């Protein structure tokens, strides 16, 4: 009897048996360490940065044409699954109250007068003697019933209750290094490159859909990191509401059920649904994506659409009212919104001719407001020059998810010489479907108003992204110094020299070693950093003094970063205590209304908003400043250079990204001179 003629009951029993065997093999593979080895091999192949590097990771005994197929089979059968360790991750800890108060006072000191500091000390004492211990007890009670006491609050209060427009306030931008190695700016390449970028973006989706994206781990020690944010990368949109928004996520893994298979394409103020996933959850080929985009462009060329997407640039309460109005006008509008919000990604062509990271950021952060759906987690912008950037809602996930994906795409492009060579199946794909909106005069007026408001703010943003090429990580590491702490200290010195005072600074610290962990604030403007900045501006200071205080500042930063990563930072703790006070209906504790709280950066008032996006070949991101008189500064650290993205508002008479970078350049040169001269003196 063949398997095709087995009775249904016997076939079901056989399937159950096979499933049990596979799970047993997987368990044994994990027990003896094979799972991680297979995942490491696949990770090396997918993230090799050149064809030569790829060859080093291949198994010599597997024929070339079978290599990837065998590896994928091994990963599926024996490798780690993307989310398999989620339930084993430790809960997010609640920091010690006294420790948080001590660290808070440390962070306040550089930014207040002696009298204001005494007042801050008294406020902290009152909090510890008053409401603090009871709020701490309630926070510990909350943590006893949740693996992450912060998760829901962070999503709601840090993001969903944010009422200003998302672009130029909350959204983040990304720029990949593709133009540096294979896609130099070139007219007429937009369609081909955009399609190939989308193809690799969809291949990353497939890794998540099949749970084959290897689990992230800390470089040192191999500690497993939380992968939950990757669930909200695709098919995810922030939907406006009165007072508070909501997050719509339609992504599912294969084991969880069906998942949307289309993207939205925005062109000429019109919106299209384009199927991009074929049989067996396999993305369609780049040539097929090109043809789908061409077909949609032909449909859009006759006349511009109503520009409904511009409404996503309005403030959130206004957009919520307008969205409700669209739904009332026509049932088709409700269908269209549903399609857009559940789509894999948003994609558009942009007429700007960008040639570098700085221009990419100018256009992705503050460029044309049309043909963007700012509520999407992923909005890909393909520029007329053939360069690629993204504009992303920050709500569902942090920048590291976008960077992880962009790095994967960059590696795939490098492995294949930025081209695609493959077979195009002989099949007929569903044609693009236009999502036609019914609008009235009020909607049309709202589109014009939202565009005008956006343009007024966008014109005020200045953006640069230069390289510092005198040295990089390799030089810093040669003195056993931490490169990130090094750049943070340089930023503090640059700001201090330019503005004559220290800057309350935010740096992103990762808490992903905990269940559903996201980020913590590292308050990198320390008293140690300020003392070093002061001595760097004194003519009589000796080389030994400068070096000693510099090393002390760097060590302090590393200490604070480690505390933040281990769940013992202060800002998320303070936020939790503040939310509990609000929910209890008690008078707001004075610690949160004291001027020192805002002056030190509390409540989202950091003058320097910074983040390290990674080392060596990583892409880079950028954000607008947190405050009108502040700066945004994301940076990446390569072996031989630093790349620093900077933003500021032109309307502020004191800020200047060009001047800040010049001071940063000089700070980095001075720091190098201190290290080299000191080393030479020691050797002599």
């Amino acid at each position: 009897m063949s398997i095709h003629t087995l009775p249904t009951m016997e076939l079901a029993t056989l399937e159950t048996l096979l499933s049990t065997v596979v799970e047993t093999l997987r368990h044994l593979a994990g027990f003896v360490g094979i799972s991680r080895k297979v995942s490491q091999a696949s990770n090396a192949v997918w993230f090799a940065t050149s064809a030569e590097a790829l060859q080093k990771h291949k198994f010599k005994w597997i024929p070339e044409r079978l290599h990837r197929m065998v590896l994928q089979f091994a990963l599926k059968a024996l490798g780690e699954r993307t989310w398999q360790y989620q339930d084993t991750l430790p809960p997010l800890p609640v920091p010690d109250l006294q420790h948080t108060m001590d660290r808070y006072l440390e962070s306040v000191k550089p930014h207040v007068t002696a009298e204001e500091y005494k007042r801050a000390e008294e406020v902290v004492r009152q909090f510890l003697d008053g409401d603090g211990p009871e709020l701490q007890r309630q926070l510990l009670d909350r943590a006893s019933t949740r693996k992450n006491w912060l998760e829901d609050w962070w999503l709601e209060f840090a993001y969903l209750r944010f009422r200003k427009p998302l672009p130029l306030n909350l959204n983040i931008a990304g720029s990949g290094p593709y133009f540096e190695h294979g896609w130099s700016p070139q007219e007429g390449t937009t369609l081909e490159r955009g399609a190939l970028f989308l193809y690799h973006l969809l291949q990353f989706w497939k890794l998540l859909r099949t749970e084959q994206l290897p689990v992230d781990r800390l470089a040192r020690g191999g500690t497993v990191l939380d992968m939950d944010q990757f669930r909200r990368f695709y098919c995810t949109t922030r939907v406006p509401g009165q007072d508070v928004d909501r997050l719509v996520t339609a992504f599912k893994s294969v084991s969880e059920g069906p998942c949307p298979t289309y993207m939205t394409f925005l062109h000429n103020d019109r919106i299209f649904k384009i199927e991009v996933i074929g049989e067996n959850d396999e993305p369609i080929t780049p040539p097929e994506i090109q043809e789908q985009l061409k077909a949609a462009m032909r449909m859009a060329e006759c006349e511009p659409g109503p520009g409904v997407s511009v409404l996503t640039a309005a403030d959130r309460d206004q957009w919520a009212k307008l969205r409700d109005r669209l739904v009332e006008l026509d049932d088709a509008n409700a269908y269209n919104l549903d399609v857009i919000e559940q789509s894999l990604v948003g994609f558009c062509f942009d007429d700007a001719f960008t040639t570098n990271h700085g221009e990419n950021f100018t256009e992705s952060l503050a460029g044309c407001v049309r043909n963007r759906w700012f509520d999407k987690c992923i909005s890909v912008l393909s520029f007329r020059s053939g360069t690629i950037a993204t504009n992303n809602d920050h709500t569902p996930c942090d920048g590291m998810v976008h960077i992880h994906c962009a790095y994967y795409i960059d590696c795939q492009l490098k492995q294949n010489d930025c081209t695609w060579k493959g077979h195009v199946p002989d099949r007929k794909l569903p044609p693009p479907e236009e999502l036609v909106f019914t609008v009235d005069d009020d909607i049309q007026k709202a589109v014009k108003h939202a565009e005008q408001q956006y343009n007024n703010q966008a014109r005020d943003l200045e953006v640069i992204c230069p390289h510092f090429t005198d040295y990089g990580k390799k030089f810093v590491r040669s003195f056993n110094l931490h490169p990130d702490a090094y750049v943070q200290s340089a930023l503090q010195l640059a700001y201090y020299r330019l503005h004559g005072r220290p800057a309350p600074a935010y740096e992103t610290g990762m808490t992903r070693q905990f269940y559903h962990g996201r980020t913590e604030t590292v308050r990198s403007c320390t008293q140690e950093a300020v003392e070093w900045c002061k001595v760097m501006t004194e003519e009589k200071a000796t080389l030994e003094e400068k070096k000693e205080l510099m090393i002390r500042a760097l060590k302090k930063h590393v200490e604070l970063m480690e505390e933040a990563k281990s769940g013992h930072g202060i800002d998320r703790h303070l936020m939790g205590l503040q939310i509990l006070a609000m929910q209890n209906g008690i008078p707001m504790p004075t610690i949160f209304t004291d001027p020192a709280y805002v002056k030190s950066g509390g409540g989202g008032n950091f003058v320097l908003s910074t983040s390290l996006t990674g080392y060596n070949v990583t892409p880079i991101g950028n954000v607008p400043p947190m405050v009108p008189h502040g700066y945004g500064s994301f940076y990446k650290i390569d072996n031989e250079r630093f790349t620093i993205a900077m933003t500021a508002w032109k309307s502020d008479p004191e800020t200047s990204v060009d001047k800040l970078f010049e001071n940063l350049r000089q700070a980095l040169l001075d720091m190098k001179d201190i290290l080299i001269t000191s080393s030479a003196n020691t050797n002599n």
Side-chain angles (χ1 to χ4, degrees):
M1 181 183 292
S2 71
I3 192 170
H4 299 291
T5 59
L6 282 172
T8 304
M9 183 62 72
E10 290 184 31
L11 188 58
T13 303
L14 181 60
E15 289 175 347
T16 301
L17 178 62
L18 288 171
S19 177
T20 302
V21 170
V22 169
E23 287 302 313
T24 301
L25 285 172
R26 189 190 296 276
H27 177 75
L28 290 173
F31 182 76
V32 299
I34 295 175
S35 293
R36 187 174 177 190
K37 290 295 183 184
V38 170
S39 293
Q40 286 174 336
S42 63
N43 196 46
V45 169
W46 286 323
F47 292 93
T49 55
S50 67
E52 292 75 17
L54 176 64
Q55 201 64 35
K56 294 178 183 178
H57 295 300
K58 289 191 173 182
F59 300 113
K60 306 303 181 184
W61 49 273
I62 301 177
E64 177 72 24
R65 61 189 179 86
L66 297 178
H67 190 275
R68 186 166 289 243
M69 182 182 73
V70 171
L71 181 60
Q72 288 179 343
F73 175 80
L75 182 63
K76 186 174 182 180
L78 302 174
E80 295 175 337
R81 287 169 292 182
T82 304
W83 294 288
Q84 78 175 70
Y85 298 119
Q86 288 299 113
D87 292 338
T88 68
L89 291 168
L92 183 70
V94 176
D96 176 74
L97 182 60
Q98 183 65 57
H99 179 266
T100 292
M101 293 298 102
D102 292 342
R103 283 295 196 221
Y104 168 70
L105 286 173
E106 284 182 18
S107 72
V108 163
K109 199 165 190 176
H111 310 292
V112 296
T113 64
E115 184 178 337
E116 288 172 328
Y117 184 73
K118 285 183 180 180
R119 165 66 178 163
E121 286 183 312
E122 175 61 21
V123 165
V124 165
R125 187 192 63 76
Q126 291 174 1
F127 186 66
L128 288 172
D129 291 343
D131 295 321
E134 174 57 21
L135 295 175
Q136 177 76 353
R137 185 194 64 78
Q138 292 180 27
L139 194 56
L140 289 168
D141 286 346
R142 177 181 173 90
S144 69
T145 60
R146 292 171 169 84
K147 288 196 72 173
N148 189 314
W149 59 267
L150 176 66
E151 181 179 13
D152 295 340
W153 283 346
W154 184 247
L155 187 64
E156 178 182 352
F157 290 97
Y159 293 108
L160 296 178
R161 287 193 176 276
F162 185 83
R163 298 292 85 197
K164 291 181 181 179
L166 296 187
L168 297 166
N169 291 293
L170 196 62
N171 280 18
I172 56 179
S175 176
Y178 324 115
F179 59 83
E180 294 181 345
H181 59 74
W183 279 356
S184 58
Q186 184 180 345
E187 192 90 41
T189 60
T190 309
L191 189 61
E192 180 182 2
R193 292 178 182 178
L196 185 54
F197 182 91
L198 281 170
Y199 173 76
H200 290 304
L201 179 63
L202 296 170
Q203 289 291 342
F204 193 80
W205 166 85
K206 184 184 175 185
L207 292 179
L208 290 172
R209 175 108 169 108
T210 56
E211 302 181 60
Q212 292 185 29
L213 183 70
V215 178
D216 275 357
R217 283 180 162 83
L218 290 177
R220 293 184 179 179
T223 301
V224 169
L225 299 179
D226 186 273
M227 300 293 287
D228 181 65
Q229 293 180 58
F230 288 86
R231 288 187 177 277
R232 299 185 296 275
F233 190 51
Y234 294 95
C235 309
T236 300
T237 306
R238 177 170 168 160
V239 178
Q242 290 299 321
D243 299 324
V244 61
D245 295 351
R246 59 190 173 90
L247 207 57
V248 171
T249 303
F251 173 82
K252 290 183 179 179
S253 66
V254 171
S255 63
E256 293 167 336
C259 179
T261 56
Y262 60 88
M263 72 174 189
T264 44
F265 173 54
L266 295 85
H267 188 68
N268 200 21
D269 282 338
R270 296 162 74 169
I271 306 174
F272 298 86
K273 172 186 177 183
I274 297 180
E275 290 288 342
V276 289
I277 305 296
E279 302 87 358
N280 302 317
D281 277 340
E282 189 65 42
I284 63 176
T285 64
E288 289 175 308
I289 295 174
Q290 281 192 60
E291 290 305 314
Q292 291 285 73
L293 292 172
K294 285 180 183 177
M297 290 172 70
R298 286 193 294 268
M299 295 168 65
E301 282 173 357
C302 53
E303 61 178 317
V308 170
S309 64
V310 176
L311 298 177
T312 64
D315 73 74
R316 303 310 291 173
D317 287 338
Q318 181 65 16
W319 171 211
K321 293 176 184 176
L322 294 167
R323 188 184 184 282
D324 289 343
R325 178 59 182 158
L326 285 170
V327 172
E328 291 172 3
L329 284 173
D330 195 332
D331 289 344
N333 288 349
Y335 164 80
N336 294 342
L337 290 166
D338 209 36
V339 168
I340 293 167
E341 289 159 3
Q342 295 189 47
S343 64
L344 287 159
V345 299
F347 181 82
C348 84
F349 291 123
D350 192 292
D351 199 47
F353 196 93
T354 60
T355 61
N356 54 49
H357 286 308
E359 292 172 2
N360 272 359
F361 285 134
T362 297
E363 296 302 325
S364 55
L365 281 175
C368 178
V369 69
R370 294 183 173 272
N371 300 314
R372 313 272 203 277
W373 201 271
F374 289 108
D375 296 350
K376 291 296 292 180
C377 182
I378 312 173
S379 289
V380 180
L381 315 177
S382 184
F383 296 110
R384 183 165 55 89
S385 56
T387 61
I388 305 283
T390 60
N391 182 289
N392 314 300
D393 172 31
H394 203 337
T395 308
C397 58
D398 299 316
M400 64 87 197
V401 178
H402 296 277
I403 289 168
H404 195 120
C405 178
Y407 181 51
Y408 165 82
I409 293 172
D410 192 43
C411 291
Q412 292 300 303
L413 290 171
K414 286 178 177 177
Q415 288 179 27
N416 297 283
D417 297 322
C418 290
T419 60
W420 183 82
K421 298 175 183 178
H423 171 69
V424 180
D426 183 13
R427 59 184 170 187
K428 188 174 182 180
L429 298 171
E433 172 191 349
E434 183 169 7
L435 305 176
V436 180
F437 281 89
T438 300
V439 300
D440 60 9
D441 289 343
D442 288 341
I443 295 294
Q444 290 176 330
K445 290 178 183 177
V447 168
K448 292 180 180 179
H449 180 68
E451 182 175 24
Q452 183 179 11
Q453 282 193 315
Y454 170 89
N455 287 339
N456 288 341
Q457 188 178 5
R459 282 191 290 267
D460 193 34
L461 187 69
E462 58 175 352
V463 185
I464 61 171
C465 189
H467 302 295
F468 174 86
T469 57
D470 286 62
Y471 64 94
K473 182 181 73 170
K474 186 177 179 181
F475 171 81
V476 178
R477 280 294 193 196
S478 71
F479 289 89
N480 296 315
L481 300 176
H482 196 292
D484 178 56
Y486 191 90
V487 174
Q488 284 289 322
S489 297
L491 281 167
Q492 281 296 322
L493 179 56
Y495 184 92
Y496 190 89
R497 282 173 166 171
L498 178 59
H499 295 285
R501 61 183 180 274
Y506 164 98
E507 186 189 4
T508 306
M510 180 190 69
T511 57
R512 286 178 59 210
Q513 56 266 53
F514 301 106
Y515 181 80
H516 288 189
R518 289 191 62 167
T519 63
E520 174 58 274
T521 299
V522 178
R523 295 192 172 203
S524 52
C525 182
T526 62
Q527 191 62 27
E528 289 82 355
V530 174
E531 289 172 1
W532 174 62
C533 290
K534 287 180 179 178
V535 82
M536 288 295 290
T537 60
E538 295 175 1
E539 293 183 6
K540 295 181 180 180
T542 66
L543 179 68
E544 288 70 24
E545 287 177 309
K546 292 178 180 179
K547 181 182 179 182
E548 179 184 350
L549 291 176
M550 183 179 81
I551 299 301
R552 190 183 301 173
L554 266 64
K555 286 182 177 179
K556 183 66 173 185
H557 183 273
V558 172
E559 179 184 340
L560 293 179
M561 176 61 79
E562 290 305 312
E563 284 186 2
K565 287 162 61 177
S566 64
H568 296 287
I570 70 170
D571 280 87
R572 306 298 181 261
H573 189 197
L574 289 169
M575 177 185 180
L577 297 170
Q578 186 177 18
I579 291 171
L580 282 171
M582 291 165 48
Q583 293 181 346
N584 287 342
I586 64 174
M588 185 56 62
T590 311
I591 188 174
F592 300 113
T593 59
D594 182 39
Y597 183 68
V598 172
K599 287 185 176 182
S600 65
N605 288 283
F606 292 100
V607 173
L608 284 180
S609 176
T610 73
S611 189
L612 167 66
T613 64
Y615 294 95
N616 295 333
V617 293
T618 61
I620 188 170
N622 204 358
V623 292
M626 277 192 189
V627 293
H629 56 289
Y631 296 91
S633 183
F634 279 27
Y635 53 91
K636 71 188 187 90
I637 300 174
D638 297 327
N639 282 332
E640 303 297 342
R641 71 178 186 180
F642 303 105
T643 303
I644 303 101
M646 289 181 170
T647 58
W649 299 110
K650 299 173 186 175
S651 54
D652 186 88
E654 291 189 0
T655 59
S656 166
V657 290
D658 290 325
K659 290 180 180 178
L660 183 64
F661 177 73
E662 277 307 304
N663 277 275
L664 177 63
R665 185 185 67 81
Q666 189 59 52
L668 291 169
L669 292 174
D670 291 345
M671 293 167 76
K672 178 183 180 181
D673 185 57
I674 289 172
L675 293 172
I676 290 178
T677 306
S678 174
S679 178
N681 291 345
T682 301
N683 292 334
N684 291 334

